[in-house]
Amino acid sequence: MNLQGKTIVLVVTGGIAVYKAVELLRLLTKAGATVQVIMTRAATEFVTPLTFQTLSGNPVHTELFNLIQEQEIGHISLADRADALVIAPATANCIGKLANGIADDLLTTTVMATTAPVLLAPAMNVNMYQHPAYRQNEQKLRQMGCQVVDPEQGELACGWQGTGRLARPEVIFEAVCRLCAPQDLVGQTILVTAGPTREELDPIRFISNHSSGRMGYALARAAQRRGARVILVSGPVALDRPTGIELVPVASACQMQQAVMERVEACTVVIKAAAVADYRPVQRSDQKIKKEGERLVVELERNPDILAGLGRLTRRPLLVGFAAETGDLQGHAAAKLAAKNLDMIVANDVTQEGAGFNVATNIARLLFRDGRVEELALMSKEELADLILDRVRGLLG
Ligand code: PMT
């Protein structure tokens, strides 16, 4: 997600997980955010402020009353400037103070003075995490409106096993993006399909295509950030499982069709970014096909067209298709839009550099049911996902 123009105040409290806050800072600045870092004295024992200063490009704030910083920015100004305030790692001590309204240092005064959303990413020993005092404090902060990224399970720095490990930086980053995104898809249930399908020839071989799933996963993540309930029906891909999204893994086109049809009734929007195989082998051999003769002829039969099936439903959700083309982009895409009874189609010429399969960017042309056409420039799949969702929002009315 693009965080250009957003100011994030990253508060780092003392714990071994401080090094992960460095990675979080990198993700935030890479997304274009201006990041102001506050460190507690304990945090500076683990990683020096210089690291955060270098990576954020801004001075690190450590003291409540620093004459120079107070003149330039001050703790109230930090609180005012924030679009979101993230505490990562958040110790039991800091959560205890915040839950009880104590404001005796830069961290606590800034959190109390801000009207921006506050995100806590706790990290501590498993017994501290389960202690009734801690549980009560966390609950209190949730009731006050703070968001919490739960810690993960695993081996803790103190040697114990259990819950208490700071969530991964990517997970915290995703939660920050959600806080900064417009919540204009709340109440929508959006089903996204992503990735390729695999049509098996035998237990070892299959027919597939180059789809990486990046476009579909970007759409699913963007829709979730904007408040939608998201169901992601995904072919086999090598991408991280997105958090907070219902993931339905499938392999073949027939499995994808079943997964989509079972869920479509609950959906207000379906976006089909998946590259579905049009044909499958008539016969799947139970045994490995042996090398015999100079030629092997495989007979294929048509797969069901999932999107066309959705277009024929009497009560159908808003339908967005994709068209991967290698020539006559507009003609083929317009024909698919009409034949499949879609509201919108995202046409991409996969022969263009930076577009289509297995790259981080795309170049798309949007075609609408009413004949409108929108030509888009090269952009990241994340940016395109948000733009598609803007148009979906418009079509939903
Ligand atoms: O996954 P990435 O590496 O990020 O690449 C993204 C992408 C190139 C896969 C994506 O941008 C894209 O173009 N997806 C659609 C590819 C495709 O299958 O296009 P198509 O023209 O064959 O199909 C048209 C539409 O019908 C698609 O929405 C497709 O999901 C759907 N379809 C196709 C065949 C079929 N049997 N059932 C379907 O539902």
Side-chain angles (χ1 to χ4, degrees), residues 211-215 272-276 278 304-307 322 324 336 340 348 356 358 381:
S211 172
S212 63
R214 290 167 94 152
M215 190 66 244
K272 286 221 72 249
V276 185
D278 288 321
D305 190 318
I306 308 165
L307 195 47
F322 270 74
K336 286 176 187 173
K340 301 188 192 213
N348 36 196
N358 207 7
K381 284 183 176 166

mmCIF file with all atom_site columns, all heavy atoms in Angstrom, residues 211-215 272-276 278 304-307 322 324 336 340 348 356 358 381, ligand 1:
data_model
loop_
_atom_site.group_PDB
_atom_site.id
_atom_site.type_symbol
_atom_site.label_atom_id
_atom_site.label_alt_id
_atom_site.label_comp_id
_atom_site.label_asym_id
_atom_site.label_entity_id
_atom_site.label_seq_id
_atom_site.pdbx_PDB_ins_code
_atom_site.Cartn_x
_atom_site.Cartn_y
_atom_site.Cartn_z
_atom_site.occupancy
_atom_site.B_iso_or_equiv
_atom_site.pdbx_formal_charge
_atom_site.auth_seq_id
_atom_site.auth_comp_id
_atom_site.auth_asym_id
_atom_site.auth_atom_id
_atom_site.pdbx_PDB_model_num
ATOM   1   N N   . SER A 1 211 ? 0.858   -17.748 -13.885 1.00 0.00 ? 211 SER A N   1
ATOM   2   C CA  . SER A 1 211 ? 0.303   -16.825 -12.876 1.00 0.00 ? 211 SER A CA  1
ATOM   3   C C   . SER A 1 211 ? 0.947   -17.081 -11.513 1.00 0.00 ? 211 SER A C   1
ATOM   4   O O   . SER A 1 211 ? 1.006   -18.209 -11.032 1.00 0.00 ? 211 SER A O   1
ATOM   5   C CB  . SER A 1 211 ? -1.212  -17.004 -12.782 1.00 0.00 ? 211 SER A CB  1
ATOM   6   O OG  . SER A 1 211 ? -1.696  -16.263 -11.692 1.00 0.00 ? 211 SER A OG  1
ATOM   7   N N   . SER A 1 212 ? 1.383   -15.980 -10.894 1.00 0.00 ? 212 SER A N   1
ATOM   8   C CA  . SER A 1 212 ? 2.036   -16.085 -9.573  1.00 0.00 ? 212 SER A CA  1
ATOM   9   C C   . SER A 1 212 ? 1.044   -15.857 -8.438  1.00 0.00 ? 212 SER A C   1
ATOM   10  O O   . SER A 1 212 ? 1.356   -16.102 -7.274  1.00 0.00 ? 212 SER A O   1
ATOM   11  C CB  . SER A 1 212 ? 3.131   -15.015 -9.472  1.00 0.00 ? 212 SER A CB  1
ATOM   12  O OG  . SER A 1 212 ? 2.518   -13.722 -9.560  1.00 0.00 ? 212 SER A OG  1
ATOM   13  N N   . GLY A 1 213 ? -0.115  -15.290 -8.768  1.00 0.00 ? 213 GLY A N   1
ATOM   14  C CA  . GLY A 1 213 ? -1.103  -14.962 -7.735  1.00 0.00 ? 213 GLY A CA  1
ATOM   15  C C   . GLY A 1 213 ? -0.949  -13.552 -7.192  1.00 0.00 ? 213 GLY A C   1
ATOM   16  O O   . GLY A 1 213 ? -1.763  -13.090 -6.393  1.00 0.00 ? 213 GLY A O   1
ATOM   17  N N   . ARG A 1 214 ? 0.079   -12.825 -7.636  1.00 0.00 ? 214 ARG A N   1
ATOM   18  C CA  . ARG A 1 214 ? 0.365   -11.496 -7.039  1.00 0.00 ? 214 ARG A CA  1
ATOM   19  C C   . ARG A 1 214 ? -0.788  -10.518 -7.219  1.00 0.00 ? 214 ARG A C   1
ATOM   20  O O   . ARG A 1 214 ? -1.127  -9.769  -6.308  1.00 0.00 ? 214 ARG A O   1
ATOM   21  C CB  . ARG A 1 214 ? 1.640   -10.905 -7.652  1.00 0.00 ? 214 ARG A CB  1
ATOM   22  C CG  . ARG A 1 214 ? 2.871   -11.660 -7.215  1.00 0.00 ? 214 ARG A CG  1
ATOM   23  C CD  . ARG A 1 214 ? 4.056   -11.272 -8.059  1.00 0.00 ? 214 ARG A CD  1
ATOM   24  N NE  . ARG A 1 214 ? 4.811   -10.209 -7.425  1.00 0.00 ? 214 ARG A NE  1
ATOM   25  C CZ  . ARG A 1 214 ? 6.115   -10.036 -7.601  1.00 0.00 ? 214 ARG A CZ  1
ATOM   26  N NH1 . ARG A 1 214 ? 6.777   -10.838 -8.387  1.00 0.00 ? 214 ARG A NH1 1
ATOM   27  N NH2 . ARG A 1 214 ? 6.741   -9.067  -7.004  1.00 0.00 ? 214 ARG A NH2 1
ATOM   28  N N   . MET A 1 215 ? -1.375  -10.518 -8.424  1.00 0.00 ? 215 MET A N   1
ATOM   29  C CA  . MET A 1 215 ? -2.470  -9.569  -8.694  1.00 0.00 ? 215 MET A CA  1
ATOM   30  C C   . MET A 1 215 ? -3.662  -9.869  -7.779  1.00 0.00 ? 215 MET A C   1
ATOM   31  O O   . MET A 1 215 ? -4.218  -8.975  -7.139  1.00 0.00 ? 215 MET A O   1
ATOM   32  C CB  . MET A 1 215 ? -2.862  -9.692  -10.179 1.00 0.00 ? 215 MET A CB  1
ATOM   33  C CG  . MET A 1 215 ? -3.807  -8.631  -10.670 1.00 0.00 ? 215 MET A CG  1
ATOM   34  S SD  . MET A 1 215 ? -3.077  -6.988  -10.676 1.00 0.00 ? 215 MET A SD  1
ATOM   35  C CE  . MET A 1 215 ? -4.094  -6.147  -9.484  1.00 0.00 ? 215 MET A CE  1
ATOM   36  N N   . LYS A 1 272 ? -12.362 -11.942 -10.475 1.00 0.00 ? 272 LYS A N   1
ATOM   37  C CA  . LYS A 1 272 ? -11.684 -13.165 -10.918 1.00 0.00 ? 272 LYS A CA  1
ATOM   38  C C   . LYS A 1 272 ? -10.346 -12.838 -11.581 1.00 0.00 ? 272 LYS A C   1
ATOM   39  O O   . LYS A 1 272 ? -10.235 -12.692 -12.788 1.00 0.00 ? 272 LYS A O   1
ATOM   40  C CB  . LYS A 1 272 ? -12.584 -13.958 -11.862 1.00 0.00 ? 272 LYS A CB  1
ATOM   41  C CG  . LYS A 1 272 ? -13.727 -14.662 -11.124 1.00 0.00 ? 272 LYS A CG  1
ATOM   42  C CD  . LYS A 1 272 ? -14.008 -16.064 -11.631 1.00 0.00 ? 272 LYS A CD  1
ATOM   43  C CE  . LYS A 1 272 ? -12.977 -17.083 -11.281 1.00 0.00 ? 272 LYS A CE  1
ATOM   44  N NZ  . LYS A 1 272 ? -12.176 -17.599 -12.337 1.00 0.00 ? 272 LYS A NZ  1
ATOM   45  N N   . ALA A 1 273 ? -9.303  -12.744 -10.739 1.00 0.00 ? 273 ALA A N   1
ATOM   46  C CA  . ALA A 1 273 ? -7.963  -12.462 -11.262 1.00 0.00 ? 273 ALA A CA  1
ATOM   47  C C   . ALA A 1 273 ? -7.217  -13.748 -11.609 1.00 0.00 ? 273 ALA A C   1
ATOM   48  O O   . ALA A 1 273 ? -6.124  -13.702 -12.178 1.00 0.00 ? 273 ALA A O   1
ATOM   49  C CB  . ALA A 1 273 ? -7.171  -11.664 -10.234 1.00 0.00 ? 273 ALA A CB  1
ATOM   50  N N   . ALA A 1 274 ? -7.787  -14.899 -11.259 1.00 0.00 ? 274 ALA A N   1
ATOM   51  C CA  . ALA A 1 274 ? -7.100  -16.172 -11.494 1.00 0.00 ? 274 ALA A CA  1
ATOM   52  C C   . ALA A 1 274 ? -6.967  -16.452 -12.987 1.00 0.00 ? 274 ALA A C   1
ATOM   53  O O   . ALA A 1 274 ? -7.802  -16.040 -13.789 1.00 0.00 ? 274 ALA A O   1
ATOM   54  C CB  . ALA A 1 274 ? -7.877  -17.308 -10.836 1.00 0.00 ? 274 ALA A CB  1
ATOM   55  N N   . ALA A 1 275 ? -5.896  -17.144 -13.328 1.00 0.00 ? 275 ALA A N   1
ATOM   56  C CA  . ALA A 1 275 ? -5.708  -17.610 -14.703 1.00 0.00 ? 275 ALA A CA  1
ATOM   57  C C   . ALA A 1 275 ? -6.136  -19.081 -14.727 1.00 0.00 ? 275 ALA A C   1
ATOM   58  O O   . ALA A 1 275 ? -5.379  -19.966 -14.327 1.00 0.00 ? 275 ALA A O   1
ATOM   59  C CB  . ALA A 1 275 ? -4.249  -17.439 -15.112 1.00 0.00 ? 275 ALA A CB  1
ATOM   60  N N   . VAL A 1 276 ? -7.371  -19.278 -15.161 1.00 0.00 ? 276 VAL A N   1
ATOM   61  C CA  . VAL A 1 276 ? -7.969  -20.620 -15.105 1.00 0.00 ? 276 VAL A CA  1
ATOM   62  C C   . VAL A 1 276 ? -7.667  -21.362 -16.404 1.00 0.00 ? 276 VAL A C   1
ATOM   63  O O   . VAL A 1 276 ? -7.839  -20.793 -17.495 1.00 0.00 ? 276 VAL A O   1
ATOM   64  C CB  . VAL A 1 276 ? -9.508  -20.497 -14.929 1.00 0.00 ? 276 VAL A CB  1
ATOM   65  C CG1 . VAL A 1 276 ? -10.148 -21.864 -14.740 1.00 0.00 ? 276 VAL A CG1 1
ATOM   66  C CG2 . VAL A 1 276 ? -9.848  -19.576 -13.761 1.00 0.00 ? 276 VAL A CG2 1
ATOM   67  N N   . ASP A 1 278 ? -8.301  -23.381 -19.524 1.00 0.00 ? 278 ASP A N   1
ATOM   68  C CA  . ASP A 1 278 ? -9.525  -23.579 -20.308 1.00 0.00 ? 278 ASP A CA  1
ATOM   69  C C   . ASP A 1 278 ? -9.781  -25.054 -20.577 1.00 0.00 ? 278 ASP A C   1
ATOM   70  O O   . ASP A 1 278 ? -10.917 -25.459 -20.810 1.00 0.00 ? 278 ASP A O   1
ATOM   71  C CB  . ASP A 1 278 ? -9.412  -22.820 -21.644 1.00 0.00 ? 278 ASP A CB  1
ATOM   72  C CG  . ASP A 1 278 ? -9.508  -21.312 -21.423 1.00 0.00 ? 278 ASP A CG  1
ATOM   73  O OD1 . ASP A 1 278 ? -10.324 -20.903 -20.574 1.00 0.00 ? 278 ASP A OD1 1
ATOM   74  O OD2 . ASP A 1 278 ? -8.765  -20.560 -22.072 1.00 0.00 ? 278 ASP A OD2 1
ATOM   75  N N   . PRO A 1 304 ? -15.125 -25.973 -17.137 1.00 0.00 ? 304 PRO A N   1
ATOM   76  C CA  . PRO A 1 304 ? -16.252 -25.049 -17.011 1.00 0.00 ? 304 PRO A CA  1
ATOM   77  C C   . PRO A 1 304 ? -15.727 -23.613 -16.980 1.00 0.00 ? 304 PRO A C   1
ATOM   78  O O   . PRO A 1 304 ? -14.648 -23.362 -16.435 1.00 0.00 ? 304 PRO A O   1
ATOM   79  C CB  . PRO A 1 304 ? -16.867 -25.421 -15.659 1.00 0.00 ? 304 PRO A CB  1
ATOM   80  C CG  . PRO A 1 304 ? -15.780 -26.133 -14.914 1.00 0.00 ? 304 PRO A CG  1
ATOM   81  C CD  . PRO A 1 304 ? -14.925 -26.806 -15.946 1.00 0.00 ? 304 PRO A CD  1
ATOM   82  N N   . ASP A 1 305 ? -16.462 -22.689 -17.584 1.00 0.00 ? 305 ASP A N   1
ATOM   83  C CA  . ASP A 1 305 ? -16.097 -21.271 -17.477 1.00 0.00 ? 305 ASP A CA  1
ATOM   84  C C   . ASP A 1 305 ? -16.778 -20.728 -16.213 1.00 0.00 ? 305 ASP A C   1
ATOM   85  O O   . ASP A 1 305 ? -17.991 -20.496 -16.205 1.00 0.00 ? 305 ASP A O   1
ATOM   86  C CB  . ASP A 1 305 ? -16.532 -20.491 -18.727 1.00 0.00 ? 305 ASP A CB  1
ATOM   87  C CG  . ASP A 1 305 ? -15.936 -19.087 -18.724 1.00 0.00 ? 305 ASP A CG  1
ATOM   88  O OD1 . ASP A 1 305 ? -15.925 -18.436 -17.647 1.00 0.00 ? 305 ASP A OD1 1
ATOM   89  O OD2 . ASP A 1 305 ? -15.475 -18.626 -19.782 1.00 0.00 ? 305 ASP A OD2 1
ATOM   90  N N   . ILE A 1 306 ? -15.980 -20.548 -15.173 1.00 0.00 ? 306 ILE A N   1
ATOM   91  C CA  . ILE A 1 306 ? -16.538 -20.194 -13.859 1.00 0.00 ? 306 ILE A CA  1
ATOM   92  C C   . ILE A 1 306 ? -17.215 -18.826 -13.908 1.00 0.00 ? 306 ILE A C   1
ATOM   93  O O   . ILE A 1 306 ? -18.329 -18.632 -13.424 1.00 0.00 ? 306 ILE A O   1
ATOM   94  C CB  . ILE A 1 306 ? -15.415 -20.180 -12.790 1.00 0.00 ? 306 ILE A CB  1
ATOM   95  C CG1 . ILE A 1 306 ? -14.641 -21.499 -12.829 1.00 0.00 ? 306 ILE A CG1 1
ATOM   96  C CG2 . ILE A 1 306 ? -15.985 -19.930 -11.402 1.00 0.00 ? 306 ILE A CG2 1
ATOM   97  C CD1 . ILE A 1 306 ? -13.318 -21.482 -12.094 1.00 0.00 ? 306 ILE A CD1 1
ATOM   98  N N   . LEU A 1 307 ? -16.521 -17.883 -14.539 1.00 0.00 ? 307 LEU A N   1
ATOM   99  C CA  . LEU A 1 307 ? -17.028 -16.509 -14.576 1.00 0.00 ? 307 LEU A CA  1
ATOM   100 C C   . LEU A 1 307 ? -18.316 -16.417 -15.394 1.00 0.00 ? 307 LEU A C   1
ATOM   101 O O   . LEU A 1 307 ? -19.269 -15.734 -14.999 1.00 0.00 ? 307 LEU A O   1
ATOM   102 C CB  . LEU A 1 307 ? -15.932 -15.598 -15.151 1.00 0.00 ? 307 LEU A CB  1
ATOM   103 C CG  . LEU A 1 307 ? -16.077 -14.106 -14.974 1.00 0.00 ? 307 LEU A CG  1
ATOM   104 C CD1 . LEU A 1 307 ? -16.444 -13.710 -13.559 1.00 0.00 ? 307 LEU A CD1 1
ATOM   105 C CD2 . LEU A 1 307 ? -14.809 -13.394 -15.401 1.00 0.00 ? 307 LEU A CD2 1
ATOM   106 N N   . PHE A 1 322 ? -10.912 -10.507 -15.453 1.00 0.00 ? 322 PHE A N   1
ATOM   107 C CA  . PHE A 1 322 ? -9.627  -10.082 -15.999 1.00 0.00 ? 322 PHE A CA  1
ATOM   108 C C   . PHE A 1 322 ? -9.509  -10.698 -17.394 1.00 0.00 ? 322 PHE A C   1
ATOM   109 O O   . PHE A 1 322 ? -10.083 -11.755 -17.654 1.00 0.00 ? 322 PHE A O   1
ATOM   110 C CB  . PHE A 1 322 ? -8.465  -10.584 -15.127 1.00 0.00 ? 322 PHE A CB  1
ATOM   111 C CG  . PHE A 1 322 ? -8.069  -9.627  -14.037 1.00 0.00 ? 322 PHE A CG  1
ATOM   112 C CD1 . PHE A 1 322 ? -8.874  -9.464  -12.921 1.00 0.00 ? 322 PHE A CD1 1
ATOM   113 C CD2 . PHE A 1 322 ? -6.883  -8.905  -14.118 1.00 0.00 ? 322 PHE A CD2 1
ATOM   114 C CE1 . PHE A 1 322 ? -8.509  -8.587  -11.906 1.00 0.00 ? 322 PHE A CE1 1
ATOM   115 C CE2 . PHE A 1 322 ? -6.509  -8.022  -13.107 1.00 0.00 ? 322 PHE A CE2 1
ATOM   116 C CZ  . PHE A 1 322 ? -7.319  -7.860  -12.001 1.00 0.00 ? 322 PHE A CZ  1
ATOM   117 N N   . ALA A 1 324 ? -6.350  -11.707 -19.950 1.00 0.00 ? 324 ALA A N   1
ATOM   118 C CA  . ALA A 1 324 ? -4.927  -11.727 -20.281 1.00 0.00 ? 324 ALA A CA  1
ATOM   119 C C   . ALA A 1 324 ? -4.835  -11.948 -21.785 1.00 0.00 ? 324 ALA A C   1
ATOM   120 O O   . ALA A 1 324 ? -5.240  -12.994 -22.285 1.00 0.00 ? 324 ALA A O   1
ATOM   121 C CB  . ALA A 1 324 ? -4.241  -12.862 -19.527 1.00 0.00 ? 324 ALA A CB  1
ATOM   122 N N   . LYS A 1 336 ? -15.305 -10.584 -24.029 1.00 0.00 ? 336 LYS A N   1
ATOM   123 C CA  . LYS A 1 336 ? -15.429 -11.354 -22.771 1.00 0.00 ? 336 LYS A CA  1
ATOM   124 C C   . LYS A 1 336 ? -16.382 -10.660 -21.800 1.00 0.00 ? 336 LYS A C   1
ATOM   125 O O   . LYS A 1 336 ? -17.170 -11.302 -21.124 1.00 0.00 ? 336 LYS A O   1
ATOM   126 C CB  . LYS A 1 336 ? -14.059 -11.542 -22.113 1.00 0.00 ? 336 LYS A CB  1
ATOM   127 C CG  . LYS A 1 336 ? -13.208 -12.571 -22.838 1.00 0.00 ? 336 LYS A CG  1
ATOM   128 C CD  . LYS A 1 336 ? -11.809 -12.699 -22.271 1.00 0.00 ? 336 LYS A CD  1
ATOM   129 C CE  . LYS A 1 336 ? -10.986 -13.628 -23.167 1.00 0.00 ? 336 LYS A CE  1
ATOM   130 N NZ  . LYS A 1 336 ? -9.579  -13.695 -22.819 1.00 0.00 ? 336 LYS A NZ  1
ATOM   131 N N   . LYS A 1 340 ? -19.603 -12.856 -20.844 1.00 0.00 ? 340 LYS A N   1
ATOM   132 C CA  . LYS A 1 340 ? -19.678 -13.365 -19.459 1.00 0.00 ? 340 LYS A CA  1
ATOM   133 C C   . LYS A 1 340 ? -20.590 -12.504 -18.590 1.00 0.00 ? 340 LYS A C   1
ATOM   134 O O   . LYS A 1 340 ? -20.681 -12.718 -17.389 1.00 0.00 ? 340 LYS A O   1
ATOM   135 C CB  . LYS A 1 340 ? -18.261 -13.463 -18.869 1.00 0.00 ? 340 LYS A CB  1
ATOM   136 C CG  . LYS A 1 340 ? -17.348 -14.393 -19.689 1.00 0.00 ? 340 LYS A CG  1
ATOM   137 C CD  . LYS A 1 340 ? -16.013 -14.654 -19.028 1.00 0.00 ? 340 LYS A CD  1
ATOM   138 C CE  . LYS A 1 340 ? -15.046 -15.340 -20.010 1.00 0.00 ? 340 LYS A CE  1
ATOM   139 N NZ  . LYS A 1 340 ? -14.129 -16.265 -19.377 1.00 0.00 ? 340 LYS A NZ  1
ATOM   140 N N   . ASN A 1 348 ? -5.282  -6.916  -19.555 1.00 0.00 ? 348 ASN A N   1
ATOM   141 C CA  . ASN A 1 348 ? -3.834  -6.687  -19.559 1.00 0.00 ? 348 ASN A CA  1
ATOM   142 C C   . ASN A 1 348 ? -3.187  -7.408  -20.736 1.00 0.00 ? 348 ASN A C   1
ATOM   143 O O   . ASN A 1 348 ? -3.450  -8.566  -20.992 1.00 0.00 ? 348 ASN A O   1
ATOM   144 C CB  . ASN A 1 348 ? -3.130  -7.047  -18.234 1.00 0.00 ? 348 ASN A CB  1
ATOM   145 C CG  . ASN A 1 348 ? -3.651  -8.234  -17.476 1.00 0.00 ? 348 ASN A CG  1
ATOM   146 O OD1 . ASN A 1 348 ? -3.371  -8.422  -16.319 1.00 0.00 ? 348 ASN A OD1 1
ATOM   147 N ND2 . ASN A 1 348 ? -4.435  -9.073  -18.123 1.00 0.00 ? 348 ASN A ND2 1
ATOM   148 N N   . GLY A 1 356 ? 1.224   -8.170  -16.637 1.00 0.00 ? 356 GLY A N   1
ATOM   149 C CA  . GLY A 1 356 ? 0.758   -9.560  -16.679 1.00 0.00 ? 356 GLY A CA  1
ATOM   150 C C   . GLY A 1 356 ? 1.368   -10.478 -15.655 1.00 0.00 ? 356 GLY A C   1
ATOM   151 O O   . GLY A 1 356 ? 1.456   -10.155 -14.474 1.00 0.00 ? 356 GLY A O   1
ATOM   152 N N   . ASN A 1 358 ? 3.476   -12.840 -13.224 1.00 0.00 ? 358 ASN A N   1
ATOM   153 C CA  . ASN A 1 358 ? 4.695   -13.016 -12.434 1.00 0.00 ? 358 ASN A CA  1
ATOM   154 C C   . ASN A 1 358 ? 5.619   -11.809 -12.365 1.00 0.00 ? 358 ASN A C   1
ATOM   155 O O   . ASN A 1 358 ? 6.838   -11.972 -12.329 1.00 0.00 ? 358 ASN A O   1
ATOM   156 C CB  . ASN A 1 358 ? 5.460   -14.236 -12.984 1.00 0.00 ? 358 ASN A CB  1
ATOM   157 C CG  . ASN A 1 358 ? 6.298   -14.880 -11.898 1.00 0.00 ? 358 ASN A CG  1
ATOM   158 O OD1 . ASN A 1 358 ? 6.207   -14.498 -10.720 1.00 0.00 ? 358 ASN A OD1 1
ATOM   159 N ND2 . ASN A 1 358 ? 7.133   -15.820 -12.273 1.00 0.00 ? 358 ASN A ND2 1
ATOM   160 N N   . LYS A 1 381 ? 1.129   -3.682  -8.701  1.00 0.00 ? 381 LYS A N   1
ATOM   161 C CA  . LYS A 1 381 ? -0.134  -4.433  -8.592  1.00 0.00 ? 381 LYS A CA  1
ATOM   162 C C   . LYS A 1 381 ? -0.922  -3.968  -7.366  1.00 0.00 ? 381 LYS A C   1
ATOM   163 O O   . LYS A 1 381 ? -2.156  -4.003  -7.369  1.00 0.00 ? 381 LYS A O   1
ATOM   164 C CB  . LYS A 1 381 ? 0.139   -5.933  -8.577  1.00 0.00 ? 381 LYS A CB  1
ATOM   165 C CG  . LYS A 1 381 ? 0.474   -6.435  -9.979  1.00 0.00 ? 381 LYS A CG  1
ATOM   166 C CD  . LYS A 1 381 ? 0.707   -7.913  -10.109 1.00 0.00 ? 381 LYS A CD  1
ATOM   167 C CE  . LYS A 1 381 ? 0.920   -8.244  -11.598 1.00 0.00 ? 381 LYS A CE  1
ATOM   168 N NZ  . LYS A 1 381 ? 1.463   -9.573  -11.850 1.00 0.00 ? 381 LYS A NZ  1
HETATM 169 O O1  . PMT B 2 .   ? -0.984  -13.861 -10.977 1.00 0.00 ? 1   PMT B O1  1
HETATM 170 P P1  . PMT B 2 .   ? -0.052  -12.814 -11.546 1.00 0.00 ? 1   PMT B P1  1
HETATM 171 O O2  . PMT B 2 .   ? 1.323   -13.378 -11.839 1.00 0.00 ? 1   PMT B O2  1
HETATM 172 O O3  . PMT B 2 .   ? -0.005  -11.569 -10.703 1.00 0.00 ? 1   PMT B O3  1
HETATM 173 O O4  . PMT B 2 .   ? -0.612  -12.397 -12.993 1.00 0.00 ? 1   PMT B O4  1
HETATM 174 C C1  . PMT B 2 .   ? -1.812  -11.690 -13.090 1.00 0.00 ? 1   PMT B C1  1
HETATM 175 C C2  . PMT B 2 .   ? -2.677  -12.202 -14.254 1.00 0.00 ? 1   PMT B C2  1
HETATM 176 C C3  . PMT B 2 .   ? -1.962  -11.968 -15.562 1.00 0.00 ? 1   PMT B C3  1
HETATM 177 C C4  . PMT B 2 .   ? -2.954  -13.701 -14.092 1.00 0.00 ? 1   PMT B C4  1
HETATM 178 C C5  . PMT B 2 .   ? -4.022  -11.396 -14.176 1.00 0.00 ? 1   PMT B C5  1
HETATM 179 O O5  . PMT B 2 .   ? -3.738  -10.055 -14.325 1.00 0.00 ? 1   PMT B O5  1
HETATM 180 C C6  . PMT B 2 .   ? -5.000  -11.865 -15.267 1.00 0.00 ? 1   PMT B C6  1
HETATM 181 O O6  . PMT B 2 .   ? -5.017  -11.360 -16.364 1.00 0.00 ? 1   PMT B O6  1
HETATM 182 N N1  . PMT B 2 .   ? -5.879  -12.869 -14.957 1.00 0.00 ? 1   PMT B N1  1
HETATM 183 C C7  . PMT B 2 .   ? -6.810  -13.485 -15.873 1.00 0.00 ? 1   PMT B C7  1
HETATM 184 C C8  . PMT B 2 .   ? -6.089  -14.435 -16.766 1.00 0.00 ? 1   PMT B C8  1
HETATM 185 C C9  . PMT B 2 .   ? -7.039  -15.192 -17.650 1.00 0.00 ? 1   PMT B C9  1
HETATM 186 O O7  . PMT B 2 .   ? -7.273  -16.326 -17.395 1.00 0.00 ? 1   PMT B O7  1
HETATM 187 O O8  . PMT B 2 .   ? -7.645  -14.509 -18.558 1.00 0.00 ? 1   PMT B O8  1
HETATM 188 P P2  . PMT B 2 .   ? -8.712  -15.172 -19.601 1.00 0.00 ? 1   PMT B P2  1
HETATM 189 O O9  . PMT B 2 .   ? -8.828  -14.154 -20.646 1.00 0.00 ? 1   PMT B O9  1
HETATM 190 O O10 . PMT B 2 .   ? -8.291  -16.537 -19.993 1.00 0.00 ? 1   PMT B O10 1
HETATM 191 O O11 . PMT B 2 .   ? -10.057 -15.299 -18.754 1.00 0.00 ? 1   PMT B O11 1
HETATM 192 C C10 . PMT B 2 .   ? -11.014 -14.246 -18.671 1.00 0.00 ? 1   PMT B C10 1
HETATM 193 C C11 . PMT B 2 .   ? -11.696 -14.275 -17.310 1.00 0.00 ? 1   PMT B C11 1
HETATM 194 O O12 . PMT B 2 .   ? -12.479 -15.470 -17.182 1.00 0.00 ? 1   PMT B O12 1
HETATM 195 C C12 . PMT B 2 .   ? -10.745 -14.261 -16.129 1.00 0.00 ? 1   PMT B C12 1
HETATM 196 O O13 . PMT B 2 .   ? -11.297 -13.436 -15.129 1.00 0.00 ? 1   PMT B O13 1
HETATM 197 C C13 . PMT B 2 .   ? -10.700 -15.727 -15.682 1.00 0.00 ? 1   PMT B C13 1
HETATM 198 O O14 . PMT B 2 .   ? -10.488 -15.843 -14.275 1.00 0.00 ? 1   PMT B O14 1
HETATM 199 C C14 . PMT B 2 .   ? -12.103 -16.215 -16.040 1.00 0.00 ? 1   PMT B C14 1
HETATM 200 N N2  . PMT B 2 .   ? -12.157 -17.650 -16.420 1.00 0.00 ? 1   PMT B N2  1
HETATM 201 C C15 . PMT B 2 .   ? -11.445 -18.114 -17.474 1.00 0.00 ? 1   PMT B C15 1
HETATM 202 C C16 . PMT B 2 .   ? -11.563 -19.448 -17.833 1.00 0.00 ? 1   PMT B C16 1
HETATM 203 C C17 . PMT B 2 .   ? -12.381 -20.286 -17.068 1.00 0.00 ? 1   PMT B C17 1
HETATM 204 N N3  . PMT B 2 .   ? -12.498 -21.580 -17.372 1.00 0.00 ? 1   PMT B N3  1
HETATM 205 N N4  . PMT B 2 .   ? -13.066 -19.806 -16.027 1.00 0.00 ? 1   PMT B N4  1
HETATM 206 C C18 . PMT B 2 .   ? -12.969 -18.490 -15.685 1.00 0.00 ? 1   PMT B C18 1
HETATM 207 O O15 . PMT B 2 .   ? -13.591 -18.055 -14.716 1.00 0.00 ? 1   PMT B O15 1
#
